[in-house]
Amino acid sequence: VLGVPDLMIRAGGVTVSPSPIRDRETTVSATVTNYGDGTTSAFNVSFYEGDVLISTSNVSNLPKGQSSTVSITWTPAVPGLITIVVIVDEEDAITEADKDNNVIETRVTVADYPDLVAIDLSFIINGKAGNKANLNDTVQIMAVIYNNGESSASGFDVVFKMNESVIGVVPVAHLAVQGTTTVGIYWDPSTMTSISQLNQLNIIAVVNPPTDPAYTHVPEMDDPTNDNNRASQILEVKDNRPDIAVTGITVSSNNVNV
Protein backbone atom coordinates (compact mmCIF):
# COMPACT_ATOMS: atom_id res chain seq x y z
CA VAL A 1 0.00 0.00 0.00
CA LEU A 2 1.50 3.32 -1.05
CA GLY A 3 2.53 5.58 1.81
CA VAL A 4 1.83 2.96 4.49
CA PRO A 5 4.57 1.16 6.47
CA ASP A 6 4.66 -2.61 6.97
CA LEU A 7 6.62 -3.86 9.97
CA MET A 8 7.90 -7.41 10.08
CA ILE A 9 10.47 -9.67 11.75
CA ARG A 10 11.78 -12.21 9.28
CA ALA A 11 12.48 -15.86 10.16
CA GLY A 12 15.76 -16.01 12.06
CA GLY A 13 15.38 -12.41 13.15
CA VAL A 14 15.19 -13.31 16.85
CA THR A 15 18.38 -14.36 18.63
CA VAL A 16 19.27 -15.30 22.20
CA SER A 17 22.88 -14.82 23.30
CA PRO A 18 24.62 -16.17 25.20
CA SER A 19 22.83 -19.53 25.17
CA PRO A 20 20.18 -19.38 27.90
CA ILE A 21 20.88 -21.00 31.26
CA ARG A 22 18.52 -21.27 34.19
CA ASP A 23 18.74 -18.25 36.53
CA ARG A 24 21.45 -16.54 34.43
CA GLU A 25 20.93 -13.34 32.49
CA THR A 26 20.96 -13.46 28.70
CA THR A 27 19.99 -11.08 25.88
CA VAL A 28 17.09 -11.55 23.47
CA SER A 29 17.32 -9.46 20.28
CA ALA A 30 14.89 -8.93 17.40
CA THR A 31 15.49 -7.20 14.08
CA VAL A 32 12.43 -5.33 12.78
CA THR A 33 12.28 -4.27 9.13
CA ASN A 34 9.90 -1.81 7.50
CA TYR A 35 8.87 -3.41 4.20
CA GLY A 36 6.20 -0.78 3.56
CA ASP A 37 6.13 2.53 1.73
CA GLY A 38 6.15 4.97 4.64
CA THR A 39 8.16 5.96 7.69
CA THR A 40 6.75 4.99 11.07
CA SER A 41 6.43 7.02 14.21
CA ALA A 42 7.41 5.43 17.56
CA PHE A 43 6.28 1.89 18.36
CA ASN A 44 7.08 -0.86 20.86
CA VAL A 45 8.42 -4.38 20.40
CA SER A 46 7.11 -6.78 23.07
CA PHE A 47 8.97 -9.92 24.16
CA TYR A 48 7.12 -12.81 25.81
CA GLU A 49 8.15 -16.09 27.43
CA GLY A 50 5.16 -18.08 26.32
CA ASP A 51 2.27 -15.80 27.28
CA VAL A 52 4.18 -13.98 30.06
CA LEU A 53 5.58 -10.57 29.16
CA ILE A 54 9.34 -10.30 29.71
CA SER A 55 9.86 -6.70 28.61
CA THR A 56 9.29 -4.18 25.83
CA SER A 57 11.69 -2.08 23.77
CA ASN A 58 10.89 1.13 21.89
CA VAL A 59 11.76 2.13 18.33
CA SER A 60 11.51 5.89 17.84
CA ASN A 61 10.85 5.65 14.09
CA LEU A 62 11.69 3.40 11.17
CA PRO A 63 11.98 4.69 7.57
CA LYS A 64 10.84 2.48 4.71
CA GLY A 65 13.33 -0.20 3.74
CA GLN A 66 15.27 0.21 6.98
CA SER A 67 15.80 -2.20 9.89
CA SER A 68 16.23 -1.72 13.62
CA THR A 69 17.50 -4.26 16.16
CA VAL A 70 16.12 -4.04 19.69
CA SER A 71 17.17 -6.07 22.70
CA ILE A 72 16.04 -6.96 26.21
CA THR A 73 17.57 -8.93 29.06
CA TRP A 74 15.98 -12.21 30.13
CA THR A 75 16.67 -14.47 33.08
CA PRO A 76 14.87 -17.79 32.53
CA ALA A 77 13.62 -19.39 35.73
CA VAL A 78 13.03 -22.93 34.45
CA PRO A 79 15.03 -25.24 32.17
CA GLY A 80 13.82 -26.96 29.02
CA LEU A 81 12.28 -25.95 25.72
CA ILE A 82 10.87 -22.41 25.93
CA THR A 83 8.87 -20.45 23.32
CA ILE A 84 9.88 -16.82 22.89
CA VAL A 85 7.17 -14.68 21.25
CA VAL A 86 7.99 -11.27 19.80
CA ILE A 87 5.17 -8.89 18.83
CA VAL A 88 5.76 -5.70 16.86
CA ASP A 89 3.46 -2.79 17.72
CA GLU A 90 1.16 -4.79 19.96
CA GLU A 91 -0.57 -1.52 20.91
CA ASP A 92 -1.53 -0.77 17.26
CA ALA A 93 0.19 2.62 17.32
CA ILE A 94 1.11 2.28 13.63
CA THR A 95 -1.29 1.91 10.69
CA GLU A 96 0.21 -0.82 8.50
CA ALA A 97 -0.44 -2.54 5.22
CA ASP A 98 -0.39 -5.96 6.96
CA LYS A 99 -0.70 -6.67 10.69
CA ASP A 100 -0.64 -10.46 10.32
CA ASN A 101 3.15 -10.52 10.00
CA ASN A 102 3.82 -8.67 13.26
CA VAL A 103 4.24 -11.78 15.42
CA ILE A 104 7.08 -14.29 15.36
CA GLU A 105 7.87 -17.24 17.63
CA THR A 106 11.17 -18.98 18.25
CA ARG A 107 11.95 -21.92 20.51
CA VAL A 108 15.08 -22.08 22.63
CA THR A 109 16.43 -24.68 25.02
CA VAL A 110 17.29 -23.37 28.49
CA ALA A 111 20.08 -25.39 30.11
CA ASP A 112 19.66 -26.51 33.71
CA TYR A 113 22.11 -26.01 36.59
CA PRO A 114 25.45 -27.83 36.86
CA ASP A 115 25.70 -31.13 38.75
CA LEU A 116 29.01 -31.45 40.56
CA VAL A 117 30.20 -34.96 41.34
CA ALA A 118 33.10 -36.09 43.55
CA ILE A 119 34.25 -39.12 41.56
CA ASP A 120 37.48 -40.06 43.34
CA LEU A 121 39.61 -39.42 46.43
CA SER A 122 43.21 -40.62 46.74
CA PHE A 123 46.44 -40.04 48.67
CA ILE A 124 50.04 -39.38 47.68
CA ILE A 125 52.39 -40.13 50.58
CA ASN A 126 55.98 -38.95 50.27
CA GLY A 127 55.53 -38.84 46.49
CA LYS A 128 53.91 -42.28 46.11
CA ALA A 129 50.29 -43.37 45.90
CA GLY A 130 49.02 -45.28 48.92
CA ASN A 131 46.75 -45.23 51.96
CA LYS A 132 49.20 -45.94 54.79
CA ALA A 133 51.30 -43.18 56.30
CA ASN A 134 53.48 -42.50 59.29
CA LEU A 135 52.80 -39.59 61.58
CA ASN A 136 55.72 -37.56 60.23
CA ASP A 137 54.93 -38.17 56.53
CA THR A 138 53.69 -35.52 54.12
CA VAL A 139 50.28 -36.54 52.79
CA GLN A 140 48.73 -35.03 49.68
CA ILE A 141 44.97 -35.54 49.47
CA MET A 142 43.57 -35.40 45.93
CA ALA A 143 39.92 -35.18 44.80
CA VAL A 144 38.64 -35.53 41.23
CA ILE A 145 35.56 -33.43 40.43
CA TYR A 146 33.27 -33.86 37.40
CA ASN A 147 30.47 -31.60 36.14
CA ASN A 148 27.62 -33.86 35.03
CA GLY A 149 25.13 -31.00 34.66
CA GLU A 150 23.88 -28.89 31.77
CA SER A 151 25.81 -25.68 32.49
CA SER A 152 29.18 -24.59 33.80
CA ALA A 153 29.85 -24.01 37.49
CA SER A 154 31.80 -21.02 38.80
CA GLY A 155 33.04 -20.06 42.24
CA PHE A 156 32.51 -23.18 44.37
CA ASP A 157 34.56 -24.80 47.12
CA VAL A 158 35.90 -28.30 47.73
CA VAL A 159 36.11 -28.93 51.48
CA PHE A 160 38.43 -31.62 52.84
CA LYS A 161 37.62 -33.24 56.17
CA MET A 162 39.19 -35.72 58.55
CA ASN A 163 36.49 -37.53 60.52
CA GLU A 164 34.17 -34.54 59.77
CA SER A 165 36.69 -31.94 60.97
CA VAL A 166 37.75 -29.50 58.25
CA ILE A 167 41.44 -29.78 57.33
CA GLY A 168 41.46 -27.73 54.13
CA VAL A 169 39.41 -25.82 51.55
CA VAL A 170 40.19 -25.39 47.84
CA PRO A 171 38.24 -22.81 45.77
CA VAL A 172 37.45 -23.74 42.15
CA ALA A 173 37.00 -20.80 39.80
CA HIS A 174 35.28 -22.59 36.91
CA LEU A 175 34.31 -26.05 35.69
CA ALA A 176 32.81 -26.50 32.23
CA VAL A 177 29.99 -28.87 31.32
CA GLN A 178 31.36 -32.45 31.28
CA GLY A 179 34.64 -31.03 32.52
CA THR A 180 36.90 -32.67 35.09
CA THR A 181 39.33 -31.07 37.51
CA THR A 182 41.64 -32.40 40.22
CA VAL A 183 42.19 -30.40 43.40
CA GLY A 184 44.16 -31.23 46.49
CA ILE A 185 45.74 -30.18 49.77
CA TYR A 186 48.88 -31.08 51.69
CA TRP A 187 48.16 -32.34 55.20
CA ASP A 188 50.42 -32.98 58.15
CA PRO A 189 49.08 -35.93 60.21
CA SER A 190 50.99 -34.74 63.28
CA THR A 191 48.51 -31.85 63.58
CA MET A 192 45.84 -34.25 64.83
CA THR A 193 44.66 -33.36 68.33
CA SER A 194 44.20 -36.99 69.36
CA ILE A 195 46.83 -39.52 68.26
CA SER A 196 46.79 -43.26 68.86
CA GLN A 197 49.43 -45.81 67.95
CA LEU A 198 47.40 -46.75 64.85
CA ASN A 199 44.82 -44.29 63.50
CA GLN A 200 42.09 -45.22 61.01
CA LEU A 201 41.00 -41.88 59.54
CA ASN A 202 37.99 -41.25 57.31
CA ILE A 203 39.14 -38.59 54.84
CA ILE A 204 36.28 -36.88 52.99
CA ALA A 205 36.02 -34.42 50.10
CA VAL A 206 32.78 -32.43 49.96
CA VAL A 207 32.14 -30.56 46.71
CA ASN A 208 30.04 -27.39 46.89
CA PRO A 209 28.67 -27.94 50.44
CA PRO A 210 24.89 -27.41 50.31
CA THR A 211 24.05 -26.36 53.87
CA ASP A 212 27.13 -24.80 55.46
CA PRO A 213 26.84 -20.97 55.51
CA ALA A 214 30.63 -20.70 55.63
CA TYR A 215 30.76 -21.61 51.94
CA THR A 216 29.04 -20.21 48.84
CA HIS A 217 26.69 -22.83 47.37
CA VAL A 218 26.33 -22.93 43.59
CA PRO A 219 22.80 -24.14 42.66
CA GLU A 220 22.83 -27.69 41.29
CA MET A 221 20.40 -29.93 39.44
CA ASP A 222 20.21 -32.38 42.37
CA ASP A 223 19.63 -29.81 45.13
CA PRO A 224 18.94 -30.20 47.99
CA THR A 225 20.06 -33.85 48.33
CA ASN A 226 23.42 -33.63 46.49
CA ASP A 227 24.02 -37.34 47.04
CA ASN A 228 26.98 -37.41 44.67
CA ASN A 229 28.94 -34.49 46.16
CA ARG A 230 31.05 -36.55 48.59
CA ALA A 231 33.94 -38.97 48.18
CA SER A 232 35.81 -40.67 51.02
CA GLN A 233 38.70 -43.03 51.69
CA ILE A 234 40.28 -44.53 54.81
CA LEU A 235 43.80 -43.35 55.56
CA GLU A 236 45.84 -45.38 58.04
CA VAL A 237 48.31 -43.29 60.04
CA LYS A 238 50.86 -44.97 62.34
CA ASP A 239 52.52 -43.12 65.17
CA ASN A 240 56.15 -43.98 64.46
CA ARG A 241 57.70 -41.68 67.01
CA PRO A 242 60.16 -43.34 69.43
CA ASP A 243 58.66 -44.29 72.77
CA ILE A 244 61.30 -44.15 75.46
CA ALA A 245 60.32 -45.86 78.67
CA VAL A 246 62.09 -46.55 81.97
CA THR A 247 62.19 -50.33 82.42
CA GLY A 248 64.14 -50.53 85.65
CA ILE A 249 66.23 -48.65 88.24
CA THR A 250 69.55 -49.82 89.65
CA VAL A 251 71.24 -48.13 92.61
CA SER A 252 74.98 -48.79 93.13
CA SER A 253 77.51 -47.65 95.65
CA ASN A 254 81.24 -48.18 95.23
CA ASN A 255 80.47 -50.28 92.14
CA VAL A 256 78.23 -52.53 94.18
CA ASN A 257 74.52 -52.76 93.46
CA VAL A 258 72.40 -52.13 96.53
Side-chain angles (χ1 to χ4, degrees), residues 185-206:
I185 62 169
Y186 287 93
W187 179 59
D188 180 0
S190 67
T191 59
M192 291 187 295
T193 56
S194 178
I195 302 174
S196 303
Q197 184 65 35
L198 190 62
N199 305 270
Q200 298 287 334
L201 308 176
N202 187 27
I203 305 299
I204 307 165
V206 184

Side-chain angles (χ1 to χ4, degrees), residues 246-258:
V246 177
T247 59
I249 299 176
T250 300
V251 179
S252 62
S253 176
N254 297 322
N255 295 322
V256 177
N257 292 336
V258 296

Side-chain angles (χ1 to χ4, degrees), residues 187-237:
W187 179 59
D188 180 0
S190 67
T191 59
M192 291 187 295
T193 56
S194 178
I195 302 174
S196 303
Q197 184 65 35
L198 190 62
N199 305 270
Q200 298 287 334
L201 308 176
N202 187 27
I203 305 299
I204 307 165
V206 184
V207 183
N208 192 34
T211 57
D212 193 329
Y215 311 105
T216 300
H217 178 72
V218 175
E220 294 190 56
M221 291 174 64
D222 59 347
D223 283 344
T225 56
N226 302 109
D227 292 333
N228 55 12
N229 284 40
R230 295 167 67 99
S232 64
Q233 290 285 351
I234 297 298
L235 176 65
E236 182 179 293
V237 176

Side-chain angles (χ1 to χ4, degrees), residues 109-213:
T109 298
V110 176
D112 206 341
Y113 295 136
D115 181 17
L116 299 171
V117 183
I119 61 176
D120 188 46
L121 182 70
S122 60
F123 310 111
I124 298 175
I125 301 166
N126 293 335
K128 296 181 180 180
N131 62 354
K132 295 182 179 181
N134 291 320
L135 192 65
N136 59 352
D137 287 339
T138 298
V139 178
Q140 188 177 10
I141 307 171
M142 309 293 294
V144 181
I145 315 302
Y146 175 67
N147 182 358
N148 193 42
E150 296 183 5
S151 59
S152 61
S154 298
F156 62 92
D157 293 319
V158 180
V159 180
F160 291 89
K161 298 183 178 183
M162 184 271 293
N163 296 342
E164 296 299 338
S165 296
V166 176
I167 56 175
V169 179
V170 178
V172 179
H174 184 81
L175 187 57
V177 177
Q178 298 184 349
T180 302
T181 188
T182 300
V183 299
I185 62 169
Y186 287 93
W187 179 59
D188 180 0
S190 67
T191 59
M192 291 187 295
T193 56
S194 178
I195 302 174
S196 303
Q197 184 65 35
L198 190 62
N199 305 270
Q200 298 287 334
L201 308 176
N202 187 27
I203 305 299
I204 307 165
V206 184
V207 183
N208 192 34
T211 57
D212 193 329

